[in-house]
Amino acid sequence: MSDTITIRRPDDWHVHLRDGPMLARVARHTARQFARAIVMPNLVPPVTTVEQAGAYRERIHAAAGPGFAPLMTAYLTDRTSPEELSRGQEEGVWIAAKLYPAGATTNSESGVTDIVNIRPCLERMQQIGMVLCVHGEVTEPDVDVFDREAVFIERILEPMVRDFPALKVVLEHITTRQAADFVASAPANVAATITPQHLHLNRNALFAGGLRPHAYCLPVVKREEHRLAVRKAAVSGSPKYFLGTDSAPHAREAKESACGCAGIFNAPFALESYAAVFEEESALDLLEGFASHHGADFYGLPRNEGTVTLQRTEVVVPAEIDGLVPFHACESLSWRLAG
Ligand code: DOR
Ligand code: ZN
């Protein structure tokens, strides 16, 4: 068995880099692992204008240093104008727009309250080939939190894909068999990102020996049956599934709290975490497609030049990195990204 894996430089198609002091702490971890990343716009206030996104991109450049390209997204609200989306795309600022159902997750209060409100935007995006990134969960309080993704697919996503058949849609951070099946049977303009945590954890992990705030993210991890379905999709070799870490750092106090924030900080060992899964599934030869080809191809961007190498070496993930608790804290992983 080989002791190194060399793949084309990968990208992260879904990450939260935050702003201010948190951005300064986390940006270099993503930049070390990835050439490009799609940066989520759920700041306070949300990134809704081309000017805000351009300025945020500059702050990311300053924090991450050279050699890393942040790709910016527009935060859709009930009032987003199609013109703002077109303008940002023409100016080379937006790569995609993000649909947060209002109240679905962190800083989604300004999100979309009814999908009808963004129909003109979806129409325009379909026309100009702009990707829609979707947080796929309904927010109705009578829907069980573990069912919110499956219900979203049924009530919102299926009709949307039918009504906008040429719209490019990425269902983000899929967590269920229903999501994996929906994407598999949808046309080629519908894809999904998959996080490391949804490949490693099932919902038992939330309660293993006590309440585990660092395993809490949204969409929440699901039953084992669903984890296995998402794993199967990730290692299927299908170009519809690609890497999106959803690394979402929160201060330790905000996680370890009576009302802890959702989000897992997985950036420092992201590739290593995915490699562990692909190895367990005897699919290391498919890691490169998932990490470095499928996303770029879907977004219509060139694949990166250059390569990265993972070396087989046991590494224990620190309990804390820059004051944050990383995914896999205190666990041992068997690959490490060289350099
Ligand atoms: O766990 C999550 N954290 N899921 C999201 O959708 C948002 C993210 C965050 O921004 O903290
Ligand atoms: Zn996210």
Side-chain angles (χ1 to χ4, degrees), residues 109-168:
E109 297 76 16
S110 314
V112 175
T113 59
D114 188 327
I115 210 75
V116 172
N117 298 332
I118 57 163
R119 283 186 76 90
C121 290
L122 300 181
E123 196 77 64
R124 179 69 61 91
M125 291 169 69
Q126 173 169 255
Q127 220 171 53
I128 65 177
M130 188 172 177
V131 172
L132 177 72
C133 296
V134 178
H135 183 108
E137 290 192 286
V138 294
T139 55
E140 285 84 348
D142 61 319
V143 178
D144 189 283
V145 68
F146 291 97
D147 297 333
R148 286 182 185 178
E149 183 177 273
V151 173
F152 182 90
I153 291 168
E154 213 178 280
R155 289 189 194 165
I156 311 288
L157 199 54
E158 278 177 354
M160 183 199 290
V161 166
R162 221 178 301 126
D163 291 353
F164 300 93
L167 180 64
K168 288 173 102 173

Side-chain angles (χ1 to χ4, degrees), residues 14 16 173 246:
H14 181 130
H16 300 267
H173 40 57
D246 199 15

Side-chain angles (χ1 to χ4, degrees), residues 168-180:
K168 288 173 102 173
V169 178
V170 179
L171 183 53
E172 303 283 358
H173 40 57
I174 60 167
T175 66
T176 55
R177 179 175 49 71
Q178 289 88 338

Side-chain angles (χ1 to χ4, degrees), residues 83-94 124 128:
E83 284 65 41
E84 191 69 5
L85 299 179
S86 293
R87 186 168 74 89
Q89 192 202 41
E90 279 157 24
E91 291 179 18
V93 176
W94 310 129
R124 179 69 61 91
I128 65 177

